[in-house]
């Protein structure tokens, strides 16, 4: 079967993955309302194209926090990528590098951050961080990320506890014994095992992540490091304003792919109030539900500087390792270029907010 869309990769990936891994990758929290909203909200937005604007040459390059990128799409952090394919995080990061994209490594990776840095030296890499109850654990991760030349820290703020992921609870999700959480040693490396009869990840998060963290801990982290601090999981103008007040370099508007708080808004719905509040002061980025070129375009038009994909990259990896992710990124890049040309935008600077409207705009005029 020719793979010409993210949906094609998803179909193929689903055939290749074991149930434990597939359910973990695919599902969200609760009744999965937010998982669906992340996609449906894009379909409710209409594009208003302009024509006769010479689109024979495109330039979709951009600069994010001092990094020169070939286009405004990167790979969001997702845990345990070797569950998808033995190429795991290294395959994913190398594919991102070839595509000129950012790669964000999860704290819960199955490749250590040092091994990843060695294997993908030319990829722009950021490190995603959770704040552990034992601050020494977080501090050590920060020092290692700095030494390994990661360019930013992405602190995930939406996970004081793990979301209500029902499929993982039913499957008693755990990491197979041939894999480990490679940034850790000993018990913490084998940590995602189910002891209490439910999801092993729930148990891991409850034992190690600190649910008492506040903005004070963001300050603590900033004082610890010279790297830019980006907050991932912002969904309101209020928290975006606090991120600005606390001197963060950027934010990722994210609902964790619908895996944490169910019925939280789609990220594309939350984006406009956040851009209105802080868009001139902070780098605003977004993830969640991005499947095609149109989606990328809509997020940029509404003020995101770049977007990230979570599951689509995992579908690429599960389809054919690094080569699968490379192919997936090609498909998405081609599709984005089609949208740029058909909307009359030879560069990212030509994308205007007026080019995207909610579907109701058309009907309310009459
Ligand atoms: C299987 C899986 C594992 C994830 N693991 C992490 C993680 O370790 N840290 C984190 O901040 N976000 C994690 N996320 C959330 C992603 O970074 C991202 O916010 C989300 O996947 C974006 O939505 P999308 O999958 O619709 O693109 C994970 C997502 C998935 C699907």
């Amino acid at each position: 079967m020719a793979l010409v869309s993210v949906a094609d990769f998803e179909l193929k990936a689903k055939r290749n993955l074991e149930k434990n891994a597939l359910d973990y990758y695919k599902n969200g929290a609760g009744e999965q309302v937010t998982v669906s909203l992340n996609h449906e909200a894009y379909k409710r937005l209409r594009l208003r194209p302009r024509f006769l604007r010479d689109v024979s040459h495109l330039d979709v390059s951009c600069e994010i926090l001092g990094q020169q990128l070939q286009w405004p799409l990167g790979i969001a952090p997702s845990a345990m990528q070797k569950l998808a394919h033995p190429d795991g995080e290294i395959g994913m990061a190398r594919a991102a590098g070839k595509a000129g994209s950012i790669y964000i490594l999860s704290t819960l990776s199955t490749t250590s951050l040092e091994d990843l840095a060695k294997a993908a030296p030319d990829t722009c890499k950021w490190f995603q961080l959770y704040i552990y109850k034992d601050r020494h654990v977080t501090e050590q991760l920060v020092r290692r990320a700095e030494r390994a030349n990661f360019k930013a820290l992405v602190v995930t703020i939406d996970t004081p506890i793990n979301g209500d992921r029902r499929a993982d609870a039913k499957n008693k999700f755990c990491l197979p014994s041939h894999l480990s959480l490679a940034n850790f040693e000993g018990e913490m490396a084998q940590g995602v095992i189910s002891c209490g009869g439910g999801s092993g990840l729930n148990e891991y998060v409850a034992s190690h992540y600190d649910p008492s963290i506040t903005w004070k801990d963001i300050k603590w982290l900033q004082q610890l490091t010279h790297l830019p601090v980006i907050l991932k999981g912002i969904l309101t103008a209020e928290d975006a304003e606090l991120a600005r007040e606390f001197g963060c370099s950027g934010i990722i508007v994210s609902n964790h792919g619908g895996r944490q708080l169910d019925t939280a808004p789609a990220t594309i719905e939350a984006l406009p109030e956040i851009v209105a509040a802080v868009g001139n002061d902070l780098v605003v980025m977004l993830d969640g539900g991005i499947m095609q070129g149109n989606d990328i375009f809509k997020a940029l038009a509404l003020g995101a500087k770049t977007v990230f994909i979570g599951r689509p990259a995992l579908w690429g990896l599960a389809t054919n390792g690094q080569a699968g992710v490379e192919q997936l990124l090609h498909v998405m890049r081609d599709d984005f270029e089609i949208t740029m040309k058909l909307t009359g935008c030879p560069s990212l600077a030509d994308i205007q907010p007026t080019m995207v409207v909610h579907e109701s705009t058309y009907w309310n005029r009459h």
Side-chain angles (χ1 to χ4, degrees), residues 102-115:
I102 297 170
Y103 174 78
I104 311 179
L105 180 71
S106 167
T107 287
L108 300 185
S109 53
T110 41
T111 307
S112 73
L113 60 91
E114 288 84 2
D115 287 350

Side-chain angles (χ1 to χ4, degrees), residues 25 76-79 106 128 130 156 232 254 256-257 259 287-289 310-311:
Y25 284 167
S78 61
S106 167
Q128 179 267 326
Y130 286 113
T156 300
K232 173 174 182 281
S254 174
H256 217 112
R259 297 161 73 79
D287 72 22
R311 293 182 188 84

Side-chain angles (χ1 to χ4, degrees), residues 22-339:
L22 174 59
D23 280 351
Y24 170 61
Y25 284 167
K26 173 181 77 161
N27 287 302
E31 295 181 326
Q32 313 209 57
V33 172
T34 298
V35 175
S36 308
L37 275 182
N38 271 351
H39 298 285
E40 283 162 17
Y42 282 102
K43 299 196 179 104
R44 295 186 196 130
L45 299 177
R46 302 285 171 262
L47 290 174
R48 298 179 65 246
R50 302 294 307 278
F51 297 110
L52 299 172
R53 303 205 331 171
D54 188 358
V55 289
S56 54
H57 298 288
L58 284 190
D59 177 4
V60 291
S61 63
C62 57
E63 197 193 298
I64 303 289
L65 294 172
Q67 304 297 307
Q68 201 56 44
L69 302 161
Q70 285 176 30
W71 65 311
L73 181 135
I75 298 187
S78 61
M80 303 177 254
Q81 293 178 359
K82 283 189 185 168
L83 276 177
H85 190 279
D87 286 0
E89 288 83 4
I90 289 178
M92 199 80 114
R94 285 182 170 159
K98 281 192 173 178
S101 297
I102 297 170
Y103 174 78
I104 311 179
L105 180 71
S106 167
T107 287
L108 300 185
S109 53
T110 41
T111 307
S112 73
L113 60 91
E114 288 84 2
D115 287 350
L116 184 96
K118 257 185 242 140
D122 301 328
T123 303
C124 172
K125 296 173 290 295
W126 294 353
F127 186 69
Q128 179 267 326
L129 197 64
Y130 286 113
I131 300 189
Y132 281 69
K133 287 179 185 164
D134 180 352
R135 292 292 190 279
H136 182 67
V137 171
T138 300
E139 191 173 341
Q140 286 309 306
L141 288 169
V142 171
R143 294 287 168 250
R144 290 166 60 193
E146 288 171 342
R147 279 198 296 273
N149 208 21
F150 282 74
K151 298 294 184 200
L153 296 175
V154 176
V155 185
T156 300
I157 60 168
D158 59 16
T159 310
I161 55 164
N162 214 32
D164 171 23
R165 303 182 194 166
R166 295 173 184 175
D168 292 345
K170 280 187 191 150
N171 293 339
K172 306 188 193 336
F173 175 81
C174 59
L175 195 57
S177 56
H178 68 285
L179 298 177
S180 66
L181 299 180
N183 287 323
F184 302 97
E185 284 177 345
E187 203 184 296
M188 278 185 79
Q190 301 305 329
V192 183
I193 40 177
S194 174
C195 305
S199 157
L201 193 56
N202 278 358
E203 292 170 25
Y204 180 89
V205 171
S207 330
H208 296 297
Y209 298 0
D210 188 350
S212 77
I213 61 168
T214 68
W215 291 94
K216 272 201 325 282
D217 299 281
I218 301 301
K219 198 87 249 151
W220 165 78
L221 184 64
Q222 284 165 330
Q223 283 162 356
L224 200 68
T225 182
H226 63 271
L227 290 175
V229 171
I230 296 165
L231 300 188
K232 173 174 182 281
I234 298 271
L235 284 172
T236 59
E238 295 91 314
D239 277 347
E241 282 164 356
L242 283 168
R244 175 179 57 199
E245 229 171 85
F246 277 79
C248 296
S249 304
I251 54 179
I252 304 182
V253 178
S254 174
N255 53 34
H256 217 112
R259 297 161 73 79
Q260 285 298 102
L261 176 66
D262 195 25
T263 75
T267 50
I268 195 71
E269 292 174 330
L271 181 65
E273 70 174 58
I274 292 169
V275 169
V278 302
N280 293 330
D281 313 317
L282 285 180
V283 183
V284 178
M285 300 164 274
L286 168 144
D287 72 22
I290 300 275
M291 293 275 280
Q292 50 206 336
N294 284 352
D295 303 337
I296 305 170
F297 185 95
K298 287 170 183 173
L300 298 185
L302 295 177
K305 292 288 182 264
T306 188
V307 300
F308 294 91
I309 49 170
R311 293 182 188 84
L314 290 168
W315 305 144
L317 190 64
T319 297
N320 191 18
Q322 178 181 335
V325 184
E326 285 175 21
Q327 199 187 350
L328 174 112
L329 291 172
H330 269 296
V331 164
M332 292 192 80
R333 169 82 186 246
D334 285 351
D335 198 39
F336 179 54
E337 294 196 357
I338 291 171
T339 308

